[in-house]
């Protein structure tokens, strides 16, 4: 199966918005990764050795007058030698065991959301590790904690949030262990901001204009909540010290962070526990977050999907019902690249709904879970920071982005907070997630200690405030090396379409090539196999549903895909080389797709909807392919691993069907 892959948005661009910003050509991108064959081994090795030596000189030059504490003869002692032997033995075993790892770097890996690592991030991380900075605070990380604050600003710029730290309403972002904790931070911040005006009323602070009742106080928009917080802090700052302490303590005593959920809602019987709205395809970290925050999973209301996106009609109806029943809403979550399908929710329409319902007295925040798709925003951003038009972004692609996808990315700047995972499409090592909120002033509510930096509205003041990062984040000690990795990577490859965006564009080109191959595959096997791309991909994940011709039973179709997946999954009992490709699976469920969409797909596959619904077959198992490896289309050798994958599928499905017929 051949496919022309001449479309290459990675070629140097002549348009060059925003002046002489550097552009990453395809040749420059050749230097980005260690490579499937370890092609760039010399570069990485040189960097590691150079900076390890540099670290050693740093140690020696701290107080060069101090003599070495370990004697030069120590290395000859039998105990020393025995220790070293034991160490080597264990490391050899570790190294041998690790050879069973999943080959994420290979273009034969199409499984989960991981690929090769960017050398800038890997080298910066390795360089930083022996310094062991702890980004809990500047005392333990005088350098890398500032880098983490800068990473927050770099990501804010990519997303369209205010990123100038001299602006009072500048965004703020920090790293987390992953998207799960970033989503949890979103819940925590939203609850703090939503409940704060209620606490202010309860404390009877004079001279501030406060909402009329608890319901109104609990339903300010995030923006209005921040304005109130701002007014309160300004009022507090104007009080004499003793008064300031007294009033601060009085308000704190009313905050949900002090009282806990039980006593807070007991004190405000007008208020019900707020719910969180998310599409049914939302990642399970939302369920974890609800449990962790104590709101409970029952308060997570999963909305159905229509055309693989959050059903706006259902969202609208739910919000109307919430207004009617006085059911507060904490957050509406839109997903930018679902984990299972890579689909993109209409973020623009969800923020429209937020604004509309705020006008009707139901205030809530919008959080975007862009753990997967966040970095795709680089393709939508000019080097000068402006948004690219639909036509500009579309250049070089078959159909990406759809109007809806472009509108979703264009609306990111209007949302309240966003999760992005540098360890997914940022091609950085684990664990690097990120949480970014649009207006940093809200963060004061999460501070463990009184956060009395009264608007030092300078860039230095902004950074100084967040040097005690541990106050604001769910974690305590955390790796400064991860911040250094993200910072350096974003400097080497700025987060715009001319640089980092070119890597993301590769993923879309690969996905479009994959989609085209899937259509050809479907035709060429149509006499024996139904092969269907169940819905047009929004981004760089493409699914494939399969069913042998003649079978109408969902459970048999699932068994067929399961057997195929057995050949595509990690199996430590076999030598790695036995695997031709790695892939993953997901399911299609009527709850997520809607009955109409589900029956359309079943009918394309020749499956009888009546056979669906058994205990184990209430869903359809499908193949899922993550197309983020930068070498899926190997220009150097004229090889497409996508073509090869479909050759593999053709061979294996034919063999499996044959097997079926002979039993
Ligand atoms: C991966 C993912 C998460 C969870 O992120 P981790 O980094 O695995 O904690 C959350 N949401 C979405 C949409 C994801 O794809």
């Amino acid at each position: 199966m051949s496919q022309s892959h001449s479309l290459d948005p990675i070629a140097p661009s002549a348009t060059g918005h925003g002046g002489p910003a550097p552009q990453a050509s395809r040749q420059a991108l050749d230097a980005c990764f260690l490579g499937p064959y370890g092609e760039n081994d010399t570069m990485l090795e040189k960097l590691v050795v150079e900076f390890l030596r540099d670290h050693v000189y740093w140690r020696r030059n701290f107080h060069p007058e101090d003599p070495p504490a370990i004697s030069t003869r120590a290395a000859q002692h039998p105990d020393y030698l025995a220790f070293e032997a034991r160490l080597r033995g264990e490391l050899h075993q570790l190294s041998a065991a690790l050879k069973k790892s999943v080959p994420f770097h290979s273009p034969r890996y199409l499984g989960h959301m991981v690929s090769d690592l960017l050398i800038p991030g890997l080298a910066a991380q390795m360089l930083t590790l022996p310094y062991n900075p702890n980004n809990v605070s500047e005392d333990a990380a005088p350098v890398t904690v500032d880098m983490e604050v800068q990473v927050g600003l770099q990501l804010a710029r990519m997303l369209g949030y205010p990123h100038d730290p001299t602006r009072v309403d500048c965004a703020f972002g920090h790293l987390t262990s992953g998207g799960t904790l970033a989503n949890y931070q979103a819940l925590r911040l939203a609850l703090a901001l939503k409940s704060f005006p209620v606490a202010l009323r309860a404390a009877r602070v004079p001279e501030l204009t406060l909402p009329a009742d608890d319901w109104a106080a609990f339903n300010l928009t995030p923006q209005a909540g921040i304005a109130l917080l701002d007014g309160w802090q300004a009022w507090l700052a104007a009080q004499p010290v003793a008064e300031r302490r007294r009033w601060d303590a009085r308000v704190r005593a009313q905050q949900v962070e002090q009282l806990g959920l039980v006593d807070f809602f007991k004190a405000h019987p007008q208020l019900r526990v707020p719910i969180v709205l998310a599409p049914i395809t939302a990642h399970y970290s939302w369920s974890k977050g609800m449990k962790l925050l104590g709101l409970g999973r029952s308060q997570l209301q999963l909305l159905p999907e229509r055309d693989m996106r959050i059903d706006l009609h259902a969202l609208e109806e739910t919000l109307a019902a919430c207004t009617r029943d006085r059911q507060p809403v904490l957050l509406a979550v839109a997903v930018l690249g679902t984990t299972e399908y890579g689909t993109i929710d209409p973020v623009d329409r969800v923020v429209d709904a937020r604004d509309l319902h705020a006008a009707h007295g139901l205030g809530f925040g919008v959080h975007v879970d862009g753990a997967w798709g966040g970095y795709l925003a680089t393709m939508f951003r000019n080097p000068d920071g402006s948004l690219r038009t639909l036509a500009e972004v579309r250049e070089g692609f078959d159909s990406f982005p759809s109007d809806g996808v472009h509108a979703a990315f264009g609306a990111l700047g209007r949302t309240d907070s966003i999760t992005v995972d540098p360890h997914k499409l940022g091609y950085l090592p684990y664990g690097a997630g990120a949480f970014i909120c649009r207006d940093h002033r809200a963060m004061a509510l999460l501070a463990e200690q009184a956060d009395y930096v009264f608007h030092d509205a300078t860039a230095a003041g902004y950074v100084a405030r967040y040097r005690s990062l541990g106050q604001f984040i769910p974690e305590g000690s955390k790796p400064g090396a991860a911040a250094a990795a993200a910072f350096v990577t974003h400097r080497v490859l700025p987060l715009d379409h001319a640089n980092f965006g070119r890597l993301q564009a590769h993923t879309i080109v690969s996905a479009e090539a994959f989609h085209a191959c899937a259509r050809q595959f479907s035709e060429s096997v149509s006499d024996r196999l139904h092969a269907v791309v169940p819905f047009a991909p929004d981004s760089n994940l493409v699914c494939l549903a399969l069913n042998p011709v003649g079978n109408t039973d969902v459970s048999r179709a699932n068994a067929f895909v399961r057997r195929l997946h057995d050949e595509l999954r990690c199996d430590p009992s076999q030598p790695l080389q036995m695997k031709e490709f790695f892939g993953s699976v997901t399911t299609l469920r009527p709850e997520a797709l809607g009955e109409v969409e589900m029956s359309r797909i079943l009918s394309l596959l020749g499956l009888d909807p009546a056979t669906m619904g058994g205990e184990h077959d209430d869903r359809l198992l499908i193949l899922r392919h993550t197309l983020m490896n930068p070498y899926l289309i190997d220009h150097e050798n004229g090889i497409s691993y996508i073509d090869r994958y479909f050759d593999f599928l053709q061979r294996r499905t034919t063999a499996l069907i044959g097997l079926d017929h002979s039993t």
Side-chain angles (χ1 to χ4, degrees):
M1 196 167 306
S2 71
Q3 168 73 27
S4 83
H5 304 300
S6 56
L7 298 174
D8 184 13
I10 310 303
S13 149
T15 42
H17 302 268
Q23 308 235 327
S25 66
R26 176 147 138 242
Q27 287 68 31
L29 292 182
D30 279 345
C32 279
F33 297 97
L34 181 54
Y37 194 77
E39 293 88 336
N40 288 319
D41 58 339
T42 315
M43 184 191 352
L44 185 59
E45 195 176 307
K46 262 166 57 184
L47 293 172
V48 170
V49 172
E50 178 181 339
F51 290 106
L52 182 62
R53 287 185 180 153
D54 198 46
H55 172 79
V56 171
Y57 301 148
W58 176 71
R59 291 191 174 203
R60 289 184 185 168
N61 286 310
F62 176 48
H63 275 289
E65 72 277 19
D66 295 348
I70 304 164
S71 140
T72 43
R73 280 194 322 256
Q76 287 147 31
H77 194 278
D79 291 352
Y80 183 109
L81 293 170
F83 178 92
E84 190 182 351
R86 230 173 29 244
L87 169 63
R88 280 187 179 276
E90 288 301 325
L91 288 180
H92 281 303
Q93 282 190 44
L94 171 65
S95 183
L98 286 172
K99 300 299 179 291
K100 288 186 177 165
S101 297
V102 184
F104 298 140
H105 61 275
S106 168
R108 291 172 180 266
Y109 184 82
L110 312 169
H112 294 286
M113 302 175 140
V114 55
S115 178
D116 207 352
L117 297 172
L118 279 167
I119 286 183
L122 188 57
Q125 181 133 359
M126 287 161 99
L127 190 170
T128 311
L129 275 178
Y131 297 86
N132 198 26
N134 178 354
N135 271 18
V136 69
S137 77
E138 62 181 322
D139 283 347
V143 178
T144 51
V145 83
D146 283 20
M147 289 181 178
E148 181 155 350
V149 177
Q150 295 300 333
V151 167
L153 294 171
Q154 290 168 332
L155 292 172
R157 184 180 196 270
M158 168 182 89
L159 299 165
Y161 281 168
H163 55 274
D164 171 2
T166 64
R167 272 180 67 161
V168 290
D169 64 345
C170 182
F172 169 72
H174 62 83
L175 297 176
T176 57
S177 62
T180 299
L181 226 62
N183 286 342
Y184 172 65
Q185 182 76 329
L187 288 170
R188 217 162 74 100
L189 184 63
L191 182 64
L193 190 55
K194 190 171 190 58
S195 56
F196 178 69
V198 177
L200 264 191
R201 284 191 78 252
R204 297 180 213 289
V205 179
E207 297 167 47
L208 281 182
T209 316
L210 296 174
D213 57 20
D214 276 354
W215 171 257
F218 208 46
N219 274 288
L220 295 183
T221 60
Q223 241 164 341
I226 289 169
L228 191 60
L229 172 63
D230 213 33
W232 150 248
Q233 288 188 327
W235 180 83
L236 201 61
Q239 305 305 308
V241 178
E243 281 296 284
R244 188 189 302 169
R245 288 223 181 90
R246 194 169 71 80
W247 279 107
D248 185 49
R250 203 166 141 154
V251 170
R252 267 169 199 278
Q254 297 295 336
Q255 285 181 244
V256 68
E257 289 78 9
Q258 180 66 31
L259 291 172
L261 288 172
V262 172
D263 284 346
F264 180 84
F265 285 101
K266 212 186 274 171
H268 304 283
Q270 268 197 33
L271 299 178
R272 289 162 70 172
V273 178
I275 58 171
V276 170
L277 305 176
I280 192 160
T281 49
H283 189 264
Y284 69 107
S285 51
W286 288 101
S287 157
K288 287 186 185 176
M290 296 298 280
K291 291 193 280 182
L292 194 54
L293 200 58
L295 287 174
R297 232 170 11 195
S298 310
Q299 268 54 249
L300 180 61
Q301 195 158 323
L302 296 175
L303 296 174
E305 300 236 312
R306 178 177 292 207
D307 296 333
M308 301 310 290
R309 283 160 203 96
I310 195 168
D311 182 340
L312 289 164
H313 186 69
L315 175 67
E316 198 48 52
E317 281 196 334
T318 306
L319 291 172
C322 287
T323 307
R324 197 176 55 235
D325 306 340
R326 296 214 147 201
Q327 168 59 60
V329 176
L330 182 62
L331 276 181
V333 177
V335 183
L336 200 75
T338 51
T339 317
E340 289 175 273
Y341 317 115
T343 45
I344 301 210
D345 279 330
V347 177
D348 50 320
R349 306 290 296 275
V350 178
V351 284
D352 286 346
R354 176 199 63 192
D355 295 348
L356 180 77
H357 286 271
H360 297 163
L362 187 77
F364 58 91
V366 171
H367 177 81
V368 170
D369 184 354
W372 173 247
Y375 274 90
L376 296 176
T378 52
M379 284 187 288
F380 294 79
R381 196 66 50 202
N382 282 312
D384 70 3
S386 59
L387 204 63
R388 303 177 77 213
T389 63
L390 179 61
E392 284 172 330
V393 182
R394 201 170 272 172
E395 216 174 299
F397 301 122
D398 292 339
S399 56
F400 177 87
S402 66
D403 294 11
V405 166
H406 184 266
F409 279 90
L412 290 178
R414 293 169 60 206
T415 63
D416 298 291
S417 54
I418 302 179
T419 291
V420 181
D421 264 0
H423 66 207
K424 286 184 177 168
L425 280 174
Y427 297 90
L428 291 181
Y430 296 118
F435 170 78
I436 306 102
C437 60
R438 188 185 49 190
D439 187 328
H440 82 107
R441 290 173 292 179
M443 293 300 294
L445 291 169
L446 294 185
E448 269 299 304
Q449 286 145 32
D451 179 34
Y452 285 137
V453 184
F454 289 110
H455 305 310
D456 179 2
T458 62
Y462 175 94
V463 176
R465 170 192 181 121
Y466 292 112
R467 280 192 185 127
S468 50
L469 197 57
Q471 281 215 61
F472 300 98
I473 58 175
E475 300 103 322
S477 298
K478 67 202 293 278
F487 178 75
V488 167
T489 302
H490 298 165
R491 296 274 288 192
V492 177
L493 281 174
L495 300 175
D496 56 53
H497 87 98
N499 293 284
F500 213 115
R502 294 186 173 242
L503 275 180
Q504 307 296 328
H506 254 318
T507 72
I508 302 292
V509 169
S510 299
E512 290 191 336
F514 189 97
H515 193 184
C517 275
R519 282 189 293 247
Q520 289 180 27
F521 172 73
S522 175
E523 272 170 41
S524 69
V525 295
S526 60
D527 60 328
R528 52 195 186 279
L529 184 69
H530 298 290
V532 173
V533 173
F535 47 86
D538 270 350
S539 63
N540 43 21
L541 245 72
V542 187
C543 295
L544 190 64
L546 302 173
N547 180 41
V549 166
N551 173 52
T552 58
D553 183 64
V554 168
S555 66
R556 291 194 62 177
N558 285 348
F560 181 79
V561 171
R562 208 169 291 125
R563 257 182 305 172
L564 190 57
H565 180 233
D566 282 342
E567 303 189 10
L568 287 164
R569 67 204 251 181
C570 171
D571 176 3
S573 71
Q574 277 188 350
L576 198 57
Q577 287 72 14
M578 300 283 285
K579 291 281 159 205
E580 287 192 59
F581 283 91
F582 280 83
S584 60
V585 283
T586 184
T587 57
L588 295 177
R589 318 177 283 281
E591 315 89 90
L593 289 167
E595 298 289 345
V596 176
E597 199 45 20
M598 193 74 218
S599 7
R600 180 186 67 83
I601 294 165
L602 291 180
S603 118
L604 283 174
L605 289 165
L607 287 168
D608 176 3
T611 63
M612 183 132 158
E615 193 185 343
H616 301 294
D617 295 300
D618 58 340
R619 49 192 60 196
L620 182 70
L621 197 65
I622 60 174
L623 297 178
R624 163 184 177 268
H625 311 91
T626 307
L627 298 157
M628 70 181 284
N629 188 284
Y631 307 101
L632 285 167
I633 301 167
D634 169 358
H635 294 276
E636 179 66 22
N637 303 295
I639 294 173
S640 164
Y641 286 91
I642 296 168
D643 289 352
R644 290 192 169 182
Y645 174 70
F646 279 98
D647 290 343
F648 161 84
L649 274 190
Q650 188 149 351
R651 265 185 289 121
R652 294 312 306 154
T653 53
T654 305
L656 283 175
I657 291 167
L659 216 64
D660 248 13
H661 284 308
S662 63
T663 53

